[in-house]
Amino acid sequence: MAAQPASPAPAQEPGLRARKKQRTRDALIEAAHRLFLGQGFARTTVDEIAGAVDVSQRTFFRYFANKDEVALAVLAEAEDHFIAQLRARPAEENPLRALRAAIVASWRERGAVADTGPCSVTAGLELLRMIETTPTLLAAHLRRVTEQERVVTLVIAEREGLDPAEDLRPAVLAAAFGGVLRAAHLSWSADQEDAGPEGMIALINRHLDLLGPALVGDWRA
């Protein structure tokens, strides 16, 4: 009887490969953030980041183009998630209410899946402080913030059936909302009573509550 041909080895599950890649990416981000916060952005090299994860420099560059990109990775993912949340808000919501609900949902979901590590609230906000004091990173971050405001403007205009070239309200609201968020993020402290996602949400809500009074209220009453 002829020998049966050997069965082909089972293909690796696509999900398993993706999970392995995600774990490597997360490990690189975590190592980079730990080194950045411990010894400074300028003094940290790509070789040190790769070595901390026991991978080659070539592997690092499969995931990130440079140090700037790995430093901004967590914030970039959070910003993209916020935009997705905004697009999913009910059409009948007032634009500012939709923005507020989207940022709260984004922080709350982020906190639910990342209490520790590179995607945690604490890690992200500590990195934001570092970015604010590192000129090259701040420039890259502000370029992304500007792009995010443009996207928010388009999403709001689409929700309200407006042409943003003719009606400036979506752009004004996007800029004001972005400024309030930045002020809230910069006022955060890791040693505050609740440094987790609910603490950040409370801080954002406090700032947003003052948006109306700051713009149209009587400051001297």
Side-chain angles (χ1 to χ4, degrees):
M1 184 175 181
Q4 294 294 320
S7 299
Q12 188 179 42
E13 296 179 29
L16 178 59
R17 176 174 291 184
R19 289 195 296 273
K20 285 183 175 179
K21 291 180 67 175
Q22 187 63 48
R23 283 196 296 269
T24 300
R25 187 177 189 277
D26 288 346
L28 286 167
I29 294 172
E30 186 169 14
H33 288 188
R34 185 173 63 251
L35 288 165
F36 292 156
L37 294 173
Q39 62 188 34
F41 178 78
R43 292 180 60 190
T44 300
T45 66
V46 168
D47 280 340
E48 285 179 302
I49 298 169
V53 183
D54 199 24
V55 298
S56 66
Q57 186 185 91
R58 183 177 179 180
T59 297
F60 174 92
F61 286 120
R62 288 177 187 161
Y63 292 88
F64 303 102
N66 48 44
K67 287 197 306 179
D68 290 15
E69 191 172 303
V70 72
L72 297 172
V74 171
L75 298 180
E77 290 178 0
E79 290 158 7
D80 290 343
H81 185 60
F82 161 69
I83 294 295
Q85 290 284 345
L86 179 59
R87 292 186 189 279
R89 296 307 304 170
E92 65 273 11
E93 277 186 336
N94 170 280
L96 182 56
R97 186 179 296 278
L99 286 165
R100 189 168 187 157
I103 195 64
V104 167
S106 182
W107 274 106
R108 192 159 283 152
E109 289 186 15
R110 177 179 176 145
V113 299
D115 293 331
T116 60
C119 294
S120 70
V121 172
T122 300
L125 290 167
E126 285 178 349
L127 260 295
L128 189 57
R129 287 186 178 279
M130 184 196 75
I131 288 165
E132 290 283 339
T133 59
T134 307
T136 57
L137 286 180
L138 181 58
H141 177 59
L142 291 179
R143 284 195 297 271
R144 183 169 176 88
V145 168
T146 300
E147 174 59 18
Q148 185 187 40
E149 284 186 9
R150 186 189 70 82
V151 174
V152 169
T153 297
L154 294 176
V155 173
I156 293 172
E158 183 179 359
R159 285 171 53 90
E160 300 301 311
L162 303 173
D163 179 354
E166 298 293 334
D167 192 322
L168 299 181
R169 288 176 296 171
V172 170
L173 178 57
F177 184 79
V180 171
L181 281 189
R182 186 163 182 247
H185 294 161
L186 292 178
S187 69
W188 176 88
S189 171
D191 59 3
Q192 65 191 55
E193 185 175 345
D194 186 352
E198 293 304 322
M200 189 68 249
I201 289 168
L203 200 54
I204 289 171
N205 280 329
R206 280 180 56 201
H207 281 71
L208 287 173
D209 286 343
L210 294 174
L211 179 58
L215 293 177
V216 298
D218 184 351
W219 286 42
R220 300 178 183 178

